Amino acid sequence: MLFNPQKCASCAQNKQTNILVTNKWNNIDSKKSKERKQTKRSFFEKFLKFTGKVLLFALFQILASKKTRRKVTFITAGSLLFQGPRQVIIEATWRPLLFVTLAPPLIQSTHPGLYRTWQFWSRVIPIYIGYKITQKEAQTLPEEEKRLLWEKRHEWGSEKVYKLCTELRGFYLKDGQFLGTRADFMPAAWIRRLKTLQDEVPPAPFQDIRRTIETSLDKPIVELFDWIDPVPLASATIAQVHCARLKMNGQLVAVKAQYADQERLCQLDLSNLSRLAVFLQRHDLKFDLVSIVEEFQHQIPLEFDFEREAQMMQRISNNLRSAGILPQRVVIPQVTQNLVSRRVLVMNFIEGFKIDRLVTESFPNVDRNAILENIAMAYGHMLLIDGLFHADPHPGNLVFLEDGRIGIFDFGQVKEIEDDLRIRLCELFEALAQDNVSNVANAFSALGIQVEHNQQSEQLLSLYATGLFDTCALPAGVEINPFSEASPLKTARVRRFPSQLFMILRAMQLLRALTSALACDFSFARVFASFATTGKCLRRLSSDSLLVETGDS
């Protein structure tokens, strides 16, 4: 067979051409296949993206507040309808807005404790920064402009704090109530706004209160009362009070019922306040705030036990009755037997006038000094004789009767102190009544309060003792407000304040605020003097025994 090179070359060339054509068509088919796959993938991705947006939008509609639903509806519609750069811009707006609005409800439903902490700090930090900015701006302004600047800031701050207290409630509400009584301590704008927290707290729905009453007393409400007013007499930190008439005897009573889930919230609030106290103590206030929060962490859980509160009411009533102070000077509600549980307390109704009405109204037959003396007699005996005292005398817990007697309510915050501390307090109040600077300074130090040694003197310690534990007017130009330049805290820091003293300090500061609000130069220490002289000679042989005279002078 002959070999034809030319023919072989032609065949090879044709074969190569066929291969190239085949490869070309294969490539075209492969490319089309890839394009089809990409088209399918692209459609699937777009479908998933669209479905995801729809699901997120549906979730948002379920969880978001009414205020922001409409805005996000428009943004969502825009992100679905517009294409290209407009869609990028709209989605850039949508995503952070979606996160900001969806994250809190999601956290609230899955981690309620974290959500409450977030709510607290997101409110407190702007308040702190706002005041720091104003503090910086005010340094270079003339006095009149400085005053106007601070007034504006205080109005803003008081509203922020009021919303924090009423919207988060819990222990923040109790703090707000305390600050609202301190006319000698807080700016006027804060007092005007926060004093409404004493008994004008937004009430819980009556259905929730009714459920608490029925489950706690294990009876339908119609079997307990002829009627019960759904509008509360007062709404406070952990409970609200309703007027009712007993079915069994027709007696008019006050029904105190707890809010749901408040105990857990208060414990969480104290944890947040503990962190805030550490920060403020380190950077702003020269006072031992941490010990104060620690005392609250011990004391607050007791306030949720209404059975204990009923026992405290009975014990204090018996003590004051044996001393001739009750019912001659004060009255305390009597507990209705068999209608007490851990979360519900029924007691007889005492009709009187809110004590802060003495500030704004004229009562010709009422002597303000006599009112304060009756309160001082009760507290002198509770504190210095019995060592068991009502530790929450804010205006919402005090009323005055037409005959001048005082009604004392809410015995959730009752503090019992040991004999050694009670006797040291007797020595302090005796020294304060005698106005002996040296003795006051020594008795003040004996309580375990530590003040910085720099510039420390007997005069300074005496000033501290008077400002913290008495209610009389302070020397001209001196304030106990820790934010004021006239405060002794600016010259000598209180490094340690024993936690067991705080409830005593709190009660005395509430009484100082009341005295200041009534515009009376009245010294509780002078009324306490006779109780102090007697009390320092008394001691209990054991925790449950009666007081006996020791013969000590």
Side-chain angles (χ1 to χ4, degrees):
M1 185 175 187
L2 295 175
F3 177 71
N4 189 342
Q6 186 176 1
K7 187 176 181 180
C8 289
S10 177
C11 290
Q13 186 176 2
N14 290 336
K15 187 175 182 179
Q16 186 176 4
T17 301
N18 290 335
I19 292 172
L20 290 174
V21 170
T22 303
N23 288 341
K24 181 180 179 180
W25 283 109
N26 288 338
N27 289 337
I28 290 173
D29 290 341
S30 177
K31 187 175 181 181
K32 287 182 177 179
S33 176
K34 287 181 180 179
E35 286 177 353
R36 285 195 296 269
K37 288 180 180 179
Q38 287 175 355
T39 302
K40 290 181 180 179
R41 186 182 298 115
S42 177
F43 174 79
F44 186 64
E45 288 175 351
K46 287 181 180 179
F47 176 76
L48 285 179
K49 191 175 182 180
F50 176 81
T51 306
K53 286 183 178 181
V54 171
L55 291 175
L56 283 174
F57 178 70
L59 182 62
F60 174 84
Q61 292 293 333
I62 295 171
L63 296 177
S65 63
K66 293 180 180 178
K67 294 181 181 178
T68 51
R69 280 179 186 171
R70 184 176 299 175
K71 293 179 182 178
V72 177
T73 300
F74 289 133
I75 293 173
T76 307
S79 68
L80 295 174
L81 295 176
F82 293 101
Q83 300 296 319
R86 290 184 181 181
Q87 186 179 34
V88 174
I89 294 172
I90 292 171
E91 287 189 354
T93 307
W94 155 259
R95 287 170 180 169
L97 181 60
L98 183 69
F99 172 77
V100 169
T101 51
L102 272 183
L106 286 172
I107 294 173
Q108 183 180 19
S109 60
T110 57
H111 299 85
L114 178 60
Y115 175 77
R116 189 169 179 82
T117 299
W118 179 1
Q119 286 287 302
F120 173 72
W121 289 106
S122 65
R123 295 164 189 253
V124 166
I125 291 174
I127 296 172
Y128 178 80
I129 293 174
Y131 269 87
K132 279 298 182 181
I133 291 172
T134 301
Q135 193 177 59
K136 188 72 174 177
E137 291 176 348
Q139 291 176 355
T140 57
L141 294 177
E143 286 300 319
E144 182 62 21
E145 291 184 25
K146 184 187 295 185
R147 182 183 65 80
L148 293 174
L149 180 65
W150 276 114
E151 284 182 1
K152 186 177 179 181
R153 176 59 69 190
H154 290 324
E155 290 287 348
W156 172 85
S158 65
E159 186 62 29
K160 291 289 185 183
V161 172
Y162 177 82
K163 287 183 177 180
L164 186 155
C165 295
T166 54
E167 292 175 7
L168 298 187
R169 301 178 75 104
F171 188 75
Y172 307 130
L173 185 56
K174 182 171 284 294
D175 269 356
Q177 288 176 332
F178 177 67
L179 294 176
T181 66
R182 301 306 310 277
D184 59 330
F185 181 86
M186 301 301 298
W190 284 55
I191 299 302
R192 286 194 300 271
R193 198 69 181 102
L194 298 184
K195 72 178 181 180
T196 60
L197 295 175
Q198 303 299 338
D199 50 15
E200 297 179 19
V201 178
F206 180 69
Q207 289 303 318
D208 294 347
I209 298 299
R210 176 174 185 153
R211 191 178 304 113
T212 298
I213 295 172
E214 292 181 338
T215 55
S216 297
L217 298 181
D218 201 25
K219 283 186 179 180
I221 202 167
V222 294
E223 294 184 14
L224 297 169
F225 310 108
D226 283 332
W227 57 264
I228 181 169
D229 191 348
V231 179
L233 290 168
S235 303
T237 313
I238 69 169
Q240 62 190 42
V241 181
H242 292 259
C243 185
R245 187 178 299 280
L246 288 178
K247 183 173 280 293
M248 59 183 177
N249 58 13
Q251 183 184 11
L252 203 61
V253 293
V255 183
K256 182 177 179 181
Q258 279 185 35
Y259 304 127
D261 205 29
Q262 284 299 299
E263 187 169 4
R264 183 186 62 82
L265 291 182
C266 279
Q267 291 296 335
L268 180 61
D269 298 345
L270 284 168
S271 176
N272 290 329
L273 287 171
S274 178
R275 297 185 185 95
L276 180 62
V278 171
F279 176 83
L280 292 176
Q281 183 176 320
R282 184 175 300 168
H283 298 285
D284 283 279
L285 303 181
K286 294 185 176 182
F287 199 87
D288 184 3
L289 298 175
V290 176
S291 295
I292 291 173
V293 177
E294 288 176 352
E295 174 66 4
F296 266 126
Q297 287 173 329
H298 168 73
Q299 196 72 19
I300 286 298
L302 303 178
E303 195 168 351
F304 288 90
D305 187 353
F306 286 179
E307 292 175 338
R308 175 186 181 273
E309 180 175 345
Q311 294 172 1
M312 294 298 105
M313 288 172 65
Q314 191 61 50
R315 284 182 60 184
I316 291 177
S317 295
N318 292 340
N319 292 340
L320 295 181
R321 185 176 289 107
S322 64
I325 297 173
L326 187 149
Q328 289 87 335
R329 293 179 178 270
V330 300
V331 292
I332 294 174
Q334 295 179 342
V335 177
T336 303
Q337 298 300 321
N338 302 321
L339 292 181
V340 179
S341 70
R342 195 176 188 278
R343 299 185 63 204
V344 174
L345 175 60
V346 180
M347 58 204 128
N348 70 303
F349 182 80
I350 296 176
E351 188 170 0
F353 303 95
K354 297 176 184 177
I355 201 162
D356 53 4
R357 288 181 60 179
L358 287 170
V359 179
T360 57
E361 301 177 35
S362 176
F363 292 84
N365 299 326
V366 176
D367 183 348
R368 296 185 178 191
N369 283 285
I371 291 285
L372 291 172
E373 184 175 358
N374 286 340
I375 297 173
M377 291 290 288
Y379 272 85
H381 195 279
M382 285 190 287
L383 188 60
L384 303 178
I385 301 295
D386 302 321
L388 181 73
F389 67 99
H390 177 276
D392 200 15
H394 66 71
N397 291 337
L398 299 173
V399 300
F400 65 94
L401 282 59
E402 290 183 347
D403 57 10
R405 292 183 299 166
I406 294 296
I408 305 177
F409 304 111
D410 192 354
F411 286 74
Q413 282 298 328
V414 170
K415 176 73 175 176
E416 189 164 13
I417 57 177
E418 297 178 353
D419 265 359
D420 288 341
L421 176 57
R422 180 183 58 81
I423 291 170
R424 291 199 299 273
L425 284 170
C426 288
E427 293 169 350
L428 173 64
F429 283 111
E430 196 173 42
L432 284 169
Q434 295 169 355
D435 201 18
N436 186 311
V437 172
S438 180
N439 289 346
V440 169
N442 291 334
F444 183 75
S445 298
L447 292 174
I449 303 171
Q450 296 177 6
V451 180
E452 284 182 342
H453 289 290
N454 56 318
Q455 301 181 11
Q456 183 177 355
S457 66
E458 289 184 347
Q459 192 69 37
L460 178 63
L461 292 178
S462 178
L463 187 62
Y464 264 126
T466 303
L468 297 178
F469 291 99
D470 198 4
T471 62
C472 64
L474 294 170
V478 176
E479 299 179 24
I480 57 173
N481 179 357
F483 303 100
S484 171
E485 294 299 326
S487 171
L489 288 168
K490 294 294 183 181
T491 59
R493 175 188 176 190
V494 177
R495 297 175 58 190
R496 180 177 179 272
F497 192 89
S499 59
Q500 67 268 24
L501 282 174
F502 174 67
M503 299 308 290
I504 302 168
L505 171 65
R506 184 174 186 274
M508 294 308 303
Q509 289 301 296
L510 286 169
L511 295 172
R512 170 177 277 281
L514 176 61
T515 303
S516 176
L518 295 181
C520 296
D521 186 7
F522 185 92
S523 170
F524 270 64
R526 296 193 182 281
V527 179
F528 285 3
S530 60
F531 297 102
T533 302
T534 303
K536 70 178 184 179
C537 300
L538 299 175
R539 186 177 290 274
R540 294 185 186 278
L541 298 179
S542 63
S543 59
D544 58 350
S545 68
L546 297 174
L547 287 164
V548 297
E549 189 168 352
T550 61
D552 298 339
S553 58

